[in-house]
Amino acid sequence: MNEIVGYEIEGRVAVLTIDNPPVNALGHAVREGIVTRVEQAVADDGVDAIVLIGAGRTFPAGADIREFDQPAREPHLLVVVDRMDTIEKAVVAAIHGTALGGGLELALGCHFRVASPDARVGLPEVNLGIFPGAAGTQRLPRVAGLDNALEMIVSGKPVGAVTAHDYGIVDAIVEGDLRPGALAFAQKIIADGTPRRISSEPRDGIGAPEAHAETIDRYRDLANRRFRGQESPHQAIESVVDGLRMPYDEAVAADRVRFEACKTSSQSAALRYAFFAEREAAKIPDIGKDVAPRAVKSAGVIGAGTMGRGIAISLADSGLPVTVVETGQEALDAGMAELAKLYEAMVSRGRIDEATKAERLARITGAIDYGVLGEADLVIEAAFEDLDVKKDIFQTLDGVAKPGAVLATNTSYMDIDAIATATSRPRDVIGLHYFVPANVMRLLEVVRGDESAPDAIATGMALARRTNKVGVLAGVCHGFIANRSRLPLVREATFLIEEGASPAQVDKVLTDLGMPLGPLAVSDLSGLDVSWRMRQSLAADRDPEARYMHLADRMCELGRFGIKAGRGWYAYEEGGRHPQPDEEVEAIAAAVAGEQGIERREISDDEIRARCLYAAINEGAKILEEGVAARASDIDVMWLYGFGFPRWRGGIMFIADEIGLPEILSQLRAFEAVHGKLWNPSPLLERLAADGGSFTR
Ligand code: 3HC
């Protein structure tokens, strides 16, 4: 009989156990198994009620996403769910872990639901570019009420068992073991003769859409704000609205057409790609599960500047005691005061309460003596970006850190191997590159030096998980993966201004692509002087034949450092942060263009898009062929979490495959002919384009 869904009888209750590790996804075999076992229980005279439960860590966490690219196979999940309506015996879903998507829809098809106290239920489909396709949009509003249902469906966020109970999704919370609790619940239903609850039946109090116009508009707004440019939350809302104006069967029929369109959309393909890319990034090809991370029970941070403070907060928020070390008492006091202000701001924004603030702040202590770092299992250096300064720090650290402590640098572009040579233990040295603000941004670039030990790298990846970040491995090169692949986009953005585009035009093209801010607005925010200093530090190695960022230099020479100076690529009102177009920039650009012999012209949005995007893709390809990135999808994960690139576009390498590598290559060659050697196509890209290959598929 069916191996994947078990069948046992206990006191006139059939227990159907779904066993499809790791998350009991509702793939074809599972759906078939459920149908087989349910029919067996229906036909079994010794059975009065059915309990559906998941083996292992969870009730089904959804449809099997890997099957989405294959032709749908019967029985469809909707048929499985709808079958429950016509079963005369009571069916109880016993939920633990995460009943998500199709898992919750299956549970909603059951007549009753019980859950463990720590279970979570949700409909996260919008995050995959689809909406609940097995009647979740029809049944949940009937069970939980329209507002609660829309909140769960549009946000995609799961709720805990207690909230699910308040919403009416869960009938009872089972303390202790779930299975005996669910059995007892089912037996009581039999004994009491409790009528079955069929969630496809109309619910009192839910009227036509017109009666809910305000609620529906509120969720349309939410969808626009939280998922800018993304289609699926809107489709989910339309599906719910259909359910208000049509009988169940008609609404479900309309859903089938809408669901198919979503499933086959490029947004859904990109979002599903992002889902797996993120999980893949957590796996390092040559560091298996057998390599245990080192134990980290306390940490040190060197430097109480912007980065150091953010890192300290991120560590303390995860429960780690942290010591922040500064060079002098004054700098330390100033840094600690700023750090306290950051926590203060979290309280005033309602993110945490006073007690949490006090608890987290108490985990952070300051010191001006490196000796205190002797106790730390992990030290993260976040000092000034100067190789000599960093080498000095690591030499000192070498003298005080305990054996086996991981010594990390937060440098954003320097040579980790050079820093490691300042110690007698290069195996313990890694890069942990945070993004600003470090306590908020989810990306953590874990940089592996030539000598970094596998378990030191595993420790960095484990730290990312522990601090709710997405850790992605990078090799050593100037700027590592994220910043290095983004730099050409910024470079082209400034070249385009030299050639005649305005900062607002360039930024708009990129925000229209879905980026939260354009590259020039970002430069103004972070300060144009940051990359100016970096260009100066690289001046000796600059290729004289390659085009150079003269305009960006000129902006800095004129003191146009961005928001902090009140002017950069845009002008800002006194103390303001809202960018205003500035004619002076055009004049400066025209002057620099004249000096460089660049003819200014009208520039199309298409050219801006292609120049910015393809420059980044070409660099991504070089990063990949050099082995700095283990896979193309790692580059994309960095863009999603480091730069807020729209998830529904997958990432730059995914876009490259979507456009087609031969097309990208021919554009690169065309740009090379006009703009010179910075556009040399990556040999890997050339090879893949010639062989019909791709980066991500
Ligand atoms: N289908 C296929 N594989 C899945 C899956 C799914 N729905 N959910 C998780 N997996 C896989 C992951 O890819 C991963 O595989 P790997 O070990 O080979 O990398 C493995 O299961 C474990 O997943 P995580 O590493 O994410 O484990 P966590 O414990 O961190 O998280 C989870 C578990 C919360 C269930 C998380 O995996 C998750 O959010 N999964 C997706 C849930 C989801 O979106 N469900 C809706 C699916 S669409 C749907 O149901 C359509 C329906 O309406 C018709």
Side-chain angles (χ1 to χ4, degrees):
M1 275 298 268
N2 197 288
E3 297 288 316
I4 234 165
V5 182
Y7 188 88
E8 287 161 285
I9 296 186
E10 288 196 34
R12 302 199 64 78
V13 178
V15 181
L16 277 48
T17 308
I18 302 168
D19 189 5
N20 182 32
V23 297
N24 286 322
L26 294 157
H28 172 251
V30 176
R31 299 193 303 271
E32 209 169 52
I34 295 172
V35 170
T36 307
R37 294 310 199 178
V38 163
E39 298 309 337
Q40 186 180 349
V42 167
D44 193 333
D45 289 338
V47 168
D48 290 332
I50 302 166
V51 166
L52 203 56
I53 192 167
R57 63 201 238 199
T58 185
F59 195 79
D64 188 336
I65 306 167
R66 291 181 203 275
E67 285 185 357
F68 278 31
D69 290 324
Q70 300 157 15
R73 287 172 72 191
E74 290 178 358
H76 298 154
L77 187 57
L78 178 64
V79 173
V80 181
V81 171
D82 280 351
R83 170 70 179 108
M84 308 290 182
D85 287 351
T86 50
I87 295 175
E88 297 295 336
K89 300 176 182 180
V91 186
V92 180
I95 300 171
H96 75 297
T98 43
L100 300 176
L104 178 56
E105 292 175 300
L106 179 66
L108 287 169
C110 297
H111 310 130
F112 302 95
R113 290 158 293 279
V114 299
S116 298
D118 57 355
R120 291 188 306 142
V121 305
L123 293 173
E125 282 90 339
V126 291
N127 297 318
L128 297 169
I130 52 171
F131 65 92
T137 42
Q138 308 309 327
R139 290 177 188 262
L140 190 62
R142 288 165 163 89
V143 169
L146 183 66
D147 211 339
N148 295 334
L150 276 170
E151 168 65 34
M152 288 175 67
I153 292 166
V154 176
S155 74
K157 287 190 183 151
V159 297
V162 174
T163 305
H165 187 249
D166 291 346
Y167 286 2
I169 299 170
V170 164
D171 300 294
I173 295 183
V174 174
E175 304 287 344
D177 282 353
L178 180 62
R179 186 186 151 112
L183 272 166
F185 182 92
Q187 264 140 8
K188 187 161 180 345
I189 297 245
I190 300 171
D192 295 352
T194 313
R196 294 168 308 125
R197 299 203 196 115
I198 296 174
S199 62
S200 61
E201 286 176 351
R203 170 185 158 133
D204 291 345
I206 294 200
E210 296 69 34
H212 304 283
E214 183 272 328
T215 307
I216 294 164
D217 282 350
R218 189 153 37 86
Y219 285 101
R220 286 194 173 121
D221 276 356
L222 178 77
N224 284 331
R225 271 184 286 115
R226 210 178 278 173
F227 298 92
R228 193 167 73 88
Q230 193 175 316
E231 197 44 44
S232 53
H234 294 282
Q235 294 301 329
I237 294 171
E238 290 320 307
S239 163
V240 172
V241 170
D242 272 1
L244 298 177
R245 65 171 151 237
M246 298 176 186
Y248 176 82
D249 288 344
E250 277 179 40
V252 163
D255 274 352
R256 286 196 71 91
V257 179
R258 186 181 284 123
F259 186 82
E260 210 44 41
C262 279
K263 197 176 90 168
T264 50
S265 68
S266 70
Q267 288 200 351
S268 178
L271 286 160
R272 282 181 274 134
Y273 161 78
F275 176 86
F276 289 114
E278 196 178 319
R279 278 154 184 82
E280 205 57 26
K283 298 167 195 151
I284 297 175
D286 63 337
I287 302 182
K289 284 198 176 138
D290 53 317
V291 179
R294 299 182 193 175
V296 175
K297 297 207 174 74
S298 65
V301 174
I302 298 175
T306 308
M307 283 316 287
R309 292 195 290 269
I311 295 170
I313 290 176
S314 156
L315 297 170
D317 288 0
S318 78
L320 279 171
V322 190
T323 308
V324 178
V325 175
E326 253 299 348
T327 43
Q329 194 62 46
E330 212 174 304
L332 180 67
D333 291 345
M336 295 298 277
E338 286 299 319
L339 199 147
K341 274 195 213 157
L342 289 171
Y343 272 119
E344 205 50 68
M346 290 181 221
V347 173
S348 55
R349 282 195 210 112
R351 299 245 168 89
I352 54 171
D353 58 21
E354 279 290 343
T356 310
K357 179 191 99 174
E359 196 183 310
R360 292 179 180 180
L361 254 177
R363 290 193 196 115
I364 307 176
T365 44
I368 50 170
D369 170 17
Y370 274 59
V372 294
L373 296 175
E375 293 299 309
D377 300 308
L378 162 76
V379 181
I380 304 175
E381 165 274 318
F384 193 65
E385 287 281 52
D386 178 302
L387 191 58
D388 292 333
V389 169
K390 292 193 190 280
K391 280 179 156 180
D392 277 353
I393 290 174
F394 274 77
Q395 196 175 17
T396 312
L397 257 186
D398 195 25
V400 297
K402 68 181 182 189
V406 173
L407 310 181
T409 168
N410 173 54
T411 181
S412 43
Y413 56 90
M414 284 185 181
D415 184 351
I416 310 270
D417 295 325
I419 295 172
T421 56
T423 72
S424 61
R425 38 176 138 173
R427 287 176 57 77
D428 297 337
V429 177
I430 63 171
L432 287 177
H433 178 212
Y434 286 81
F435 290 71
V436 189
N439 55 315
V440 176
M441 294 298 288
R442 303 247 351 250
L443 179 60
L444 180 60
E445 206 166 12
V446 178
V447 189
R448 182 183 200 163
D450 275 351
E451 305 277 333
S452 305
D455 65 345
I457 292 297
T459 309
M461 297 297 283
L463 183 79
R465 278 194 296 281
R466 176 181 184 153
T467 53
N468 191 30
K469 298 204 182 292
V470 178
V472 189
L473 185 75
V476 173
C477 69
H478 191 272
F480 315 122
I481 297 177
N483 286 344
R484 177 175 159 193
S485 57
R486 182 174 173 276
L487 184 68
L489 181 153
V490 180
R491 179 193 81 206
E492 288 307 309
T494 67
F495 287 170
L496 284 156
I497 296 170
E498 264 174 9
E499 290 166 41
S502 71
Q505 186 193 1
V506 173
D507 276 350
K508 181 164 186 316
V509 169
L510 289 151
T511 51
D512 283 352
L513 258 180
M515 298 190 76
L517 273 181
L520 302 157
V522 171
S523 290
D524 274 2
L525 200 62
S526 50
L528 274 69
D529 49 326
V530 179
S531 41
W532 189 34
R533 269 201 308 274
M534 195 176 77
R535 285 195 298 280
Q536 285 167 339
S537 75
L538 292 174
D541 299 327
R542 176 145 66 89
D543 180 349
E545 286 173 24
R547 186 171 171 187
Y548 179 68
M549 292 169 71
H550 292 288
L551 173 59
D553 276 8
R554 181 66 51 83
M555 298 283 282
C556 292
E557 286 153 14
L558 293 169
R560 300 190 69 106
F561 293 138
I563 291 180
K564 62 185 168 193
R567 56 208 191 121
W569 295 109
Y570 297 92
Y572 299 85
E573 278 170 18
E574 182 84 33
R577 301 173 71 83
H578 185 68
Q580 313 279 350
D582 185 349
E583 280 173 13
E584 243 181 65
V585 173
E586 159 119 35
I588 300 166
V592 172
E595 291 160 24
Q596 300 302 320
I598 294 166
E599 199 175 318
R600 283 168 64 79
R601 61 198 162 91
E602 183 111 341
I603 296 184
S604 72
D605 289 357
D606 283 347
E607 177 172 349
I608 294 173
R609 197 176 306 110
R611 293 252 310 260
C612 290
L613 210 50
Y614 294 4
I617 290 169
N618 196 29
E619 197 65 32
K622 290 177 185 173
I623 286 170
L624 195 57
E625 67 186 300
E626 288 167 22
V628 171
R631 19 177 131 73
S633 57
D634 286 359
I635 303 172
D636 284 342
V637 173
M638 295 227 187
W639 278 66
L640 300 184
Y641 286 100
F643 307 136
F645 199 73
R647 202 173 166 89
W648 49 269
R649 288 210 187 266
I652 55 169
M653 306 308 275
F654 183 83
I655 290 182
D657 285 340
E658 236 187 0
I659 294 170
L661 300 190
E663 164 64 16
I664 305 261
L665 181 61
S666 97
Q667 285 282 346
L668 292 179
R669 287 192 174 132
F671 290 142
E672 185 184 20
V674 180
H675 303 288
K677 63 190 304 182
L678 286 175
W679 284 96
N680 284 352
S682 124
L684 172 68
L685 200 153
E686 286 180 314
R687 212 165 49 245
L688 290 173
D691 298 349
S694 70
F695 293 128
T696 62
R697 286 156 202 203

